[in-house]
Amino acid sequence: LGFEAKLSQFQLRSLRGIVRGAAGGGLKTQVIKAGTGSGKSYGFQLGVLISLVNDLLSGRPPTKVHSILMYPRVALALNQADDMVKLIDEINSVMDDDLQIRWCVDAASRLKSDAYVRLVDQDISKAKLNALGIRAAIEGVYGDRDVRPHIVIGNPDSLRNRLWNPVSSDALSNGLKHLVFDEIHLLESVTGANASMVIRRILANSGNVDEVMLTGATATIAEPEEHTARVFNRDGSKVVLSEPDPDED
């Protein structure tokens, strides 16, 4: 990223929990609890990327969506995508051409205006892009194993719409290894119930409800394990809590 960086012990614990959980060596549900500016996003971003790179180098690279990063608001998804893409670009700079990490922002019409152009048809004219239907864009991005994204960044509303299409529903669910929900403390009342149902549908379609690594990131709230368990429909006693230690650097 153009500068030296050192991860905190809190960030290391967070990403280790994600990697171990996905690999089968730890619990499958984690909540990362820390205040604004603490760097908790790097904990789950790097954890997901380490897991993905390991799978890409394993000789059996993922052929469907590997990880979903979900945000409660479109603006937040777009803002956080910028930081994630910087990390992806750095990793891709040292990866072979056939092992490049592919990503997609599926929110605010970015699937068509950005992902389709970048992943499917870089030479498409503006007129043809404007005339392209959303179904064709969905099937172009999600339907071809050679171009479909490894990482999808979106919000509950956009991903709920993708579950109505069999092509994108299959790509998002069957093969999913990680689902992260940032700012999970914002999920409450009707909004929270709707987001939780989207997550449960994705997991149900995967056929491996208990095997997907689920991670929530939250500001400082009471009972984060219980809240995360309700959203993810997981056992609260098996939720790993990662948070900064006041005595740590």
Side-chain angles (χ1 to χ4, degrees):
L1 297 178
F3 58 89
E4 291 188 4
K6 179 182 177 181
L7 294 175
S8 67
Q9 291 299 309
F10 153 64
Q11 290 169 322
L12 286 171
R13 286 196 304 273
S14 300
L15 72 85
R16 182 175 59 193
I18 290 174
V19 173
R20 289 185 62 196
L27 295 177
K28 293 288 187 179
T29 316
Q30 178 177 217
V31 57
I32 304 172
K33 171 188 167 185
T36 302
S38 61
K40 60 179 178 289
S41 294
Y42 280 126
F44 65 74
Q45 289 171 344
L46 291 172
V48 164
L49 289 169
I50 290 170
S51 175
L52 173 55
V53 170
N54 180 70
D55 289 350
L56 287 169
L57 297 175
S58 69
R60 295 173 295 171
T63 59
K64 296 187 179 179
V65 174
H66 179 276
S67 303
I68 296 173
L69 275 60
M70 200 180 301
Y71 297 85
R73 297 168 181 160
V74 171
L76 184 59
L78 299 180
N79 177 267
Q80 293 298 305
D82 291 340
D83 291 335
M84 187 65 165
V85 171
K86 290 177 183 177
L87 294 174
I88 292 172
D89 287 345
E90 288 293 319
I91 294 171
N92 280 343
S93 70
V94 296
M95 295 284 279
D96 292 342
D97 290 343
D98 61 339
L99 295 176
Q100 295 286 292
I101 296 174
R102 298 186 298 271
W103 57 273
C104 161
V105 175
D106 196 347
S109 302
R110 293 291 183 90
L111 181 78
K112 176 178 169 179
S113 64
D114 175 69
Y116 186 87
V117 175
R118 185 166 40 80
L119 298 174
V120 181
D121 187 356
Q122 297 182 16
D123 298 321
I124 190 171
S125 67
K126 185 175 180 180
K128 287 185 177 180
L129 183 63
N130 289 337
L132 185 73
I134 187 61
R135 177 174 292 183
I138 290 171
E139 294 179 356
V141 172
Y142 287 110
D144 186 342
R145 61 178 289 170
D146 292 327
V147 303
R148 70 168 57 107
H150 300 115
I151 296 175
V152 172
I153 300 167
N155 66 306
D157 288 342
S158 63
L159 295 176
R160 182 184 62 236
N161 292 337
R162 299 298 168 258
L163 294 177
W164 289 106
N165 184 293
V167 173
S168 50
S169 179
D170 176 70
L172 286 165
S173 301
N174 292 319
L176 186 67
K177 201 158 187 177
H178 293 274
L179 191 150
V180 177
F181 203 107
D182 196 8
E183 305 293 347
I184 200 169
H185 60 279
L186 296 178
L187 296 184
E188 56 185 3
S189 188
V190 175
T191 301
N194 288 338
S196 180
M197 287 305 300
V198 172
I199 294 168
R200 295 183 194 195
R201 284 181 60 192
I202 291 172
L203 296 178
N205 290 347
S206 74
N208 295 298
V209 176
D210 297 324
E211 294 302 313
V212 179
M213 179 67 204
L214 301 181
T215 303
T218 178
T220 303
I221 59 170
E223 301 180 341
E225 300 100 317
E226 289 77 2
H227 179 72
T228 300
R230 285 194 298 271
V231 172
F232 288 152
N233 195 30
R234 290 270 174 94
D235 183 347
S237 67
K238 296 182 179 179
V239 178
V240 177
L241 172 63
S242 294
E243 62 181 335
D245 187 317
D247 297 326
E248 290 176 353
D249 293 334

